[in-house]
């Protein structure tokens, strides 16, 4: 049971496994006390013994604050570490002096205005709202903390209200700040680049600053809005792990500051680079939600918390818990070169193979025959599709397939009617060049008129034809960022206002079209984050569909995201991004670790390969619930090793599927054993591919033999079904 115990000046948030505790100092400042395994006691006096401080008046004790672990530090009273809230007041002052005012506990989690946020089911969470004030500025800071029953995660956010008579300029607003008592941790970030997203990077903490960020306008492939701190001996199955994830799709920062006294300050929130927010009297600012996960069962333990959070408290709508259609996308098969006949032929072959939905990608609108034009002009190209979008949708449906369509609504091509009519509708700064990327500019979604245009453009196509699915793409970084609608003193608000505008459009469109399955995409995985997941239950994980690289990308992605959110497709070999050949079976085995589909013209397969493909699709169909919604467990990491392995286990542990990929073949190699996890020790499982019956204990203690075939990128799949 999630509960919040408030006693004297102590706040204890806990569920059956985890506790998070902070208290107020004598002068009303929030001090961090504990975050870890559940404590039965309230732990009221213990931290005071530990710190031996002159407890009652921290603020006026010379530099004493620097030694105190805090919950939401500010500048000006002796703590010279980075603040969670930094601002400049009308008189130029930068000090902020927060003092406790009051608190309230909610049984139902309140939403965050204008932002995606985790939600609860009746009674399965508790939320604490605790209010502090700076009397001089008239500023109120409300910190929100939610503890859930079913996952060991604390959701945090902050709301700043200007109740004073003068404007303040907010310069840094963290969603969460936690001071850890020691710095004997290693930092994990998900870092990378386009087509190499979410590579796991792990290094020991060093004195000073470290972390991750994005100032690219999107949450980015370079650094996900996530970091974890783990002990040196933490591995996939054992050891402590602390996760920090932000439910946001724009600029973000994750920071650890190791100070000379050996504490580690961890912060996560909006990136303060190029950011400033003018908060006038009566106005409020809400920081995005941070999700802080704890586990002492290793990285898999931490991931299990996030996976549960995403499944139960993030994804919404008709498809949140439903099966997703196996799709066939034409992008890698045709790029822009298609017409209706070609599309129907590709779709027909997909149907014969057993696929369930055809998705028409980029190139169906304006005069877009390459990526140089037409974004913004969302009118069907009748030269390519003479029967219009409804004609094509009807023909695809007549084949017995669902129909999906690609959009890139946030963009405008300089060569478009939209740009010619509204040259000021894109992000730009006065008298500066408009930097193009992929021959396109970013629409200024901080503007209400632009948001209205985008919403109506998408809605009118969705209303014009029977469209079952939308791929919502976004293919460039934002630079330079500025808005023609905002006054000079508000220009640095543009990037965040953009996200608020986008979230508003997504909220309205997903409500208006509740039966449409939305998949987000941003040059592959440039915006793979919890924010987009709130509106769209799955995201295209990477433009790199090479099975070898996908093994790494999906492994990294799984640190936070369950496989039900990960768009993963089988594609042509040699792969068009890296030129690598990999066996068809391996491409299937890797794509099975996500929302399954194909990204190729199946007509290129010979009869043997086509028969194999039909059988593969049959297999995935037969196990689709297990594959999509089973508990994902990482077994062997491909980072720095030559074999990757993972498994999915049914929630009742009656079934499991195990996959292993050998990245590089080695002569005269030992036969590897793969020890499984998450099974029931006393149960007997039939391992179909080995024609053997083994107990859960044998499978977890001794393991499965990995007898790979010769060649790089060979793979194995094992299907375990228990007889009870
Ligand atoms: C980037 C996406 O990730 C691809 O899948 C494809 O939709 C292209 N954009 C189309 O321009």
């Amino acid at each position: 049971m999630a509960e919040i115990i408030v006693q004297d000046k102590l706040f204890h948030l806990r569920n059956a496994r985890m506790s998070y505790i902070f208290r107020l100092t004598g002068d009303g400042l929030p001090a961090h006390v504990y975050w870890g395994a559940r404590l039965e006691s309230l732990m009221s006096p213990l931290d005071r013994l530990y710190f031996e401080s002159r407890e009652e008046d921290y603020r006026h004790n010379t530099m004493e604050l620097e030694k105190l672990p805090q919950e939401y530090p500010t500048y000006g009273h002796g703590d010279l570490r980075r603040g969670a809230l930094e601002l400049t007041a009308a008189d130029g002052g930068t000090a902020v002096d927060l003092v406790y005012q009051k608190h309230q506990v909610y049984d139902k989690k309140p939403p965050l205005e204008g932002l995606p946020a985790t939600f609860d089911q009746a009674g399965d969470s508790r939320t604490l709202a605790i209010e502090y004030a700076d009397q001089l500025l008239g500023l109120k800071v409300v910190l929100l903390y939610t503890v859930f029953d079913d996952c060991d995660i604390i959701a945090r956010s902050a709301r700043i209200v200007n109740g004073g008579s003068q404007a303040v300029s907010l310069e840094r607003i963290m969603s969460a700040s936690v001071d850890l008592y020691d710095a004997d941790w290693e930092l994990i970030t998900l870092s990378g680049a386009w087509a190499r997203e979410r590579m796991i990077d792990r290094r020991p903490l060093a004195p000073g600053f470290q972390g991750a960020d994005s100032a690219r306008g999107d949450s980015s492939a370079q650094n996900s809005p996530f970091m974890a701190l783990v002990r040196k001996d933490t591995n996939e199955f054992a050891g402590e792990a602390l996760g920090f994830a932000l439910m946001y799709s724009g600029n973000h920062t994750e920071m650890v500051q190791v100070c000379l006294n050996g504490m580690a300050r961890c912060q996560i929130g909006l990136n303060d680079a190029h950011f400033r927010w003018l908060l006038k009297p009566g106005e409020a600012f809400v920081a995005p939600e941070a999700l802080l996960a704890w586990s002492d069962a290793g990285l898999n333990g931490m991931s299990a918390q996030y996976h549960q959070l995403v499944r139960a408290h993030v994804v919404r709508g008709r498809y949140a818990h439903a099966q997703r259609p196996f799709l066939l996308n034409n992008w890698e098969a045709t790029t822009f070169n298609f017409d209706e006949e070609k599309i129907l032929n590709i779709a027909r072959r997909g149907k014969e193979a057993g696929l369930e939905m055809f998705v028409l990608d980029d190139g169906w609108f304006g005069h877009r025959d390459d990526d140089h034009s037409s974004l913004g002009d969302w009118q069907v190209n009748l030269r390519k599709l003479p029967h219009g979008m409804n004609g094509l949708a009807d023909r695809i449906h007549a084949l017995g397939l669902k129909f999906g369509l690609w959009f890139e609504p946030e963009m405008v091509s300089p060569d478009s009617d939209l740009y010619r009519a509204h040259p000021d509708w894109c992000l730009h700064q006065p008298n500066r060049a408009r930097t193009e990327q992929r021959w396109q500019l970013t629409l200024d979604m901080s503007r209400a008129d632009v948001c209205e245009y985008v919403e109506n453009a998408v809605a009118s196509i969705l209303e014009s034809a029977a469209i079952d699915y939308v791929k919502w793409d976004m293919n460039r970084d934002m630079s330079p960022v500025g808005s023609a609608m905002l006054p000079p003193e508000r220009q640095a608000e543009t990037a965040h206002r953009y996200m608020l505008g986008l979230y508003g459009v997504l909220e309205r469109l997903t409500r208006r079209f509740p039966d449409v399955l939305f998949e987000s995409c941003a040059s592959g995985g440039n915006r793979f984050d919890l924010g987009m997941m709130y509106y769209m239950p799955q995201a295209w994980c990477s433009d790199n569909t090479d099975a070898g690289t996908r093994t790494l990308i999906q492994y990294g992605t799984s640190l936070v995201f369950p496989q039900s959110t990960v768009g993963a497709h089988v594609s042509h070999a040699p792969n068009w991004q890296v030129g690598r050949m990999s066996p068809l079976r391996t491409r299937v085995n890797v794509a099975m670790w996500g929302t399954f589909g194909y990204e190729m013209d199946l007509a290129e397969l010979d009869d043997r390969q086509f028969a194999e493909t039909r059988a593969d699709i049959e297999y995935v169909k037969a196990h689709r619930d297990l594959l999509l919604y089973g508990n994902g467990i990482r077994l062997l990491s491909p980072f720095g090793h030559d074999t990757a392995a993972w498994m999915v286990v049914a929630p009742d542990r009656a079934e499991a599927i195990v996959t292993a990929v050998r990245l590089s073949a080695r002569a005269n190699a030992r036969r590897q054993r793969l020890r499984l996890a998450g099974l029931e020790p006393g149960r007997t499982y039939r391992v179909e591919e080995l024609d053997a019956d083994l107990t859960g204990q044998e499978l977890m203690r001794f393991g499965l033999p990995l007898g790979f075939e010769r060649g790089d990128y060979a793979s194995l799949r094992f299907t375990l079904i228990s007889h009870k």
Side-chain angles (χ1 to χ4, degrees):
M1 240 325 252
E3 57 180 345
I4 295 177
I5 306 155
V6 184
Q7 202 177 78
D8 192 12
K9 291 175 175 171
L10 194 98
F11 296 83
H12 187 157
L13 292 75
R14 73 182 175 195
N15 63 18
R17 300 157 303 273
M18 177 189 73
S19 285
Y20 186 104
I21 307 174
F22 65 94
R23 68 176 167 87
L24 300 172
T25 61
D27 47 1
L29 197 95
H32 178 76
V33 175
Y34 175 83
W35 179 24
R38 175 186 161 103
L39 294 181
E40 298 307 329
S41 72
L42 291 179
M43 208 185 153
S44 184
L46 259 182
D47 70 308
R48 298 184 194 198
L49 296 180
Y50 182 84
F51 285 102
E52 297 168 350
S53 71
R54 284 160 295 169
E55 160 70 17
E56 289 313 310
D57 190 3
Y58 261 105
R59 278 170 235 258
H60 300 106
N61 277 332
T62 328
M63 300 307 188
E64 198 78 351
L65 266 188
E66 192 140 50
K67 296 182 203 137
L68 184 75
Q70 294 181 63
E71 280 293 300
Y72 208 68
T74 55
Y75 172 75
H77 304 280
D79 186 346
L80 298 173
R81 295 167 290 179
R82 208 63 215 269
L85 174 65
E86 296 177 355
L87 55 76
T88 302
D91 64 2
T94 54
V96 182
D97 202 359
L98 296 181
V99 179
Y100 166 82
Q101 304 296 308
K102 60 181 184 195
H103 70 269
Q104 198 175 344
V105 174
Y106 298 93
D107 289 349
K108 185 97 198 106
K109 185 171 188 292
L112 293 187
E113 297 142 55
L115 283 166
T118 53
F119 52 86
D120 54 4
Q121 312 298 331
D124 72 350
S125 79
R126 292 286 177 277
T127 298
L128 169 71
I130 180 159
E131 185 181 315
Y132 305 89
D134 179 304
Q135 302 294 357
L136 189 69
L137 299 174
L139 206 68
K140 267 194 335 195
V141 174
V142 182
L143 299 186
L144 293 163
Y145 295 77
T146 300
V147 55
F148 299 92
D149 267 358
D150 58 349
C151 51
D152 301 338
I153 286 186
I154 301 285
R156 284 190 59 176
S157 164
R159 187 165 190 271
I160 323 287
V161 184
N162 188 347
S165 56
Q166 308 256 12
V168 296
S169 175
L170 303 176
E171 276 138 19
R172 180 178 171 87
I173 305 157
M174 290 296 103
S175 299
S177 183
V178 180
D179 285 344
L180 303 177
Y181 284 50
D182 69 79
D184 295 331
W185 299 88
E186 294 185 345
L187 173 67
I188 292 179
T189 55
L190 295 176
S191 306
W194 171 75
R196 272 189 287 115
E197 296 91 342
R198 291 172 293 286
M199 300 288 111
I200 298 178
D201 191 77
R202 180 169 174 166
R203 66 264 191 199
L205 289 184
F209 290 104
Q210 49 246 286
D213 74 345
S214 166
R216 311 175 76 90
D218 53 25
S219 51
S220 92
Q222 281 68 18
N223 282 305
S224 284
F226 167 78
M227 67 176 176
L229 292 176
V230 295
R231 295 295 185 188
K232 283 188 184 61
D233 56 359
T234 296
N235 59 28
E236 286 288 14
F237 299 101
E240 221 177 337
L242 304 174
F244 296 78
L246 195 67
M247 198 162 180
Y248 191 62
S249 315
N251 297 337
H252 58 89
T253 193
E254 295 71 40
M255 182 210 83
V256 185
Q257 184 181 11
V258 176
C259 315
L260 289 180
N261 64 18
M263 276 195 266
R265 171 160 290 177
C266 306
Q267 295 187 335
I268 183 164
L270 292 178
N271 196 338
D272 55 5
H274 319 292
F275 171 82
R276 206 174 328 105
W277 193 279
L278 189 67
L279 199 69
K280 291 200 167 151
E283 290 181 347
F285 183 91
V286 183
E289 189 165 79
L291 287 317
L292 278 48
W294 167 84
S295 174
D296 60 1
L299 285 166
N300 270 311
M302 178 198 71
S303 299
Q305 310 313 317
Y306 280 124
H307 293 185
Q308 177 60 17
L309 182 91
V310 172
R311 285 188 296 245
H313 306 287
V314 175
V315 292
R316 302 177 300 164
R318 188 186 142 186
Y319 281 98
H321 306 288
Q323 267 306 327
R324 318 283 169 75
F326 293 170
L327 69 83
L328 172 60
N329 178 303
N330 70 303
W331 176 244
E332 289 197 24
T334 67
T335 63
F336 301 95
N337 307 314
F338 59 81
D339 56 21
E340 190 185 85
E341 197 191 328
K342 201 168 181 180
I343 289 302
L344 288 172
N345 284 336
I346 293 175
R348 211 169 278 124
R349 199 65 175 147
K351 172 69 187 172
E352 283 163 18
L355 294 172
E356 299 165 328
M357 177 162 75
F358 176 79
V359 176
L360 180 61
D361 211 280
D362 197 352
W364 55 265
F365 52 93
H367 59 277
R368 192 156 164 97
D369 292 325
D370 56 31
D371 49 9
H372 288 47
S373 82
S374 302
L375 292 170
D377 297 346
W378 299 106
Q379 286 89 34
V380 180
N381 180 334
L382 294 174
R383 182 173 45 82
K384 288 183 181 176
L385 304 176
H387 300 100
M389 197 53 78
N390 55 341
L392 178 63
D394 290 349
R395 284 166 173 75
I396 297 281
H397 282 136
L399 295 175
L401 293 167
K402 288 179 185 289
F403 177 61
L405 193 60
W406 177 98
F407 289 89
E408 193 178 0
E410 299 159 66
M411 295 292 151
V412 62
S413 306
D415 177 8
S416 67
D417 293 342
L418 182 68
Y419 189 71
R420 283 183 281 271
H422 298 287
D424 61 336
W425 272 19
C426 66
L427 293 177
H428 66 283
Q429 294 187 358
N431 307 316
R432 298 273 178 202
R434 300 175 177 199
T435 311
E436 291 176 25
Q437 189 180 358
R438 207 194 188 201
W439 297 276
Q440 64 196 58
L441 297 163
T442 311
L443 283 174
D444 178 1
M445 302 288 287
S446 75
R447 297 173 61 137
D449 52 358
V450 173
C451 288
E452 196 185 326
Y453 174 83
V454 166
E455 183 182 336
N456 289 337
V458 176
S460 68
I461 295 283
L462 294 185
E463 274 157 2
S464 75
I467 295 169
D468 305 293
Y469 159 107
V470 166
K471 178 175 175 186
W472 185 291
D473 204 350
M474 200 283 290
N475 286 310
R476 64 158 292 174
D477 298 315
M478 299 177 200
S479 170
V481 175
S483 171
M485 280 298 262
L486 292 171
E489 66 276 16
R490 287 202 181 273
Q491 284 300 315
E493 298 175 12
T494 310
H496 183 57
R497 286 187 182 274
Y498 180 108
M499 292 316 310
L500 298 177
L502 172 64
Y503 288 148
V505 170
L506 296 180
E507 182 67 34
R508 290 190 294 278
L509 277 174
T510 49
R511 274 175 196 265
R512 217 163 135 182
F513 299 97
D515 292 333
V516 172
L517 169 59
F518 284 83
E519 172 155 1
S520 86
C521 172
S523 301
N526 273 332
R527 213 164 51 180
F528 203 111
D529 57 64
L530 294 168
M532 295 310 281
M533 234 43 110
Y534 182 70
Y535 304 97
M536 314 195 191
Q538 59 190 57
W540 185 224
C541 188
S542 177
D543 273 348
N544 192 337
T545 50
D546 165 58
T549 328
R550 272 290 184 129
T551 307
L552 296 150
I553 295 171
Q554 293 174 195
Y555 205 92
T557 304
S558 77
L559 279 195
V560 181
F561 297 97
Q563 65 276 7
S564 56
T565 62
V566 177
H569 300 165
V570 180
S571 70
H572 175 83
N575 177 267
W576 79 335
Q577 299 297 358
V578 296
R580 179 176 288 140
M581 288 300 297
S582 49
L584 185 55
R585 179 53 54 80
T586 298
R587 285 178 266 153
V588 171
N589 284 343
V590 173
M592 253 168 37
W593 197 15
T595 62
F596 189 70
Y598 283 71
E599 196 89 5
M600 63 194 290
D601 184 351
L602 295 174
E604 73 182 47
L605 300 177
D606 62 26
D607 289 349
R608 188 191 54 77
Q609 290 171 321
F610 191 73
E612 185 183 324
T613 296
R614 286 178 71 144
D616 284 334
I617 293 171
E618 268 310 302
Y619 176 88
V620 184
K621 269 188 190 163
H623 300 284
R624 61 195 309 170
D625 282 332
L626 169 62
L627 287 166
L628 200 65
Y629 291 115
N631 296 324
I633 303 177
R634 294 177 301 273
L635 297 173
L636 292 178
S637 171
F639 291 93
H641 306 105
D642 64 3
T643 309
W646 60 92
M647 65 189 287
V648 284
V649 187
D652 66 0
R653 302 202 265 180
E655 292 174 279
I657 290 178
V658 182
T659 311
V661 179
R662 193 190 42 202
L663 302 173
S664 60
R666 190 189 298 172
N668 196 15
R670 74 194 155 102
R671 172 159 288 204
Q672 265 173 279
R673 261 188 317 151
L674 176 66
R675 292 208 261 184
L676 307 188
L679 302 174
E680 214 176 290
R683 233 164 167 164
T684 302
Y685 294 85
R686 172 132 208 97
V687 185
E688 285 183 357
E689 291 75 2
L690 300 180
D691 197 13
D693 291 324
L694 295 163
T695 65
Q697 188 182 45
E698 287 165 341
L699 288 161
M700 292 192 289
R701 295 285 179 205
F702 182 83
L704 287 169
L706 292 185
F708 289 109
E709 286 183 0
R710 280 153 53 90
D712 292 341
Y713 303 101
S715 68
L716 292 165
R717 166 166 93 201
F718 302 98
T719 316
L720 279 57
I721 299 180
S722 80
H723 2 245
K724 240 203 160 162

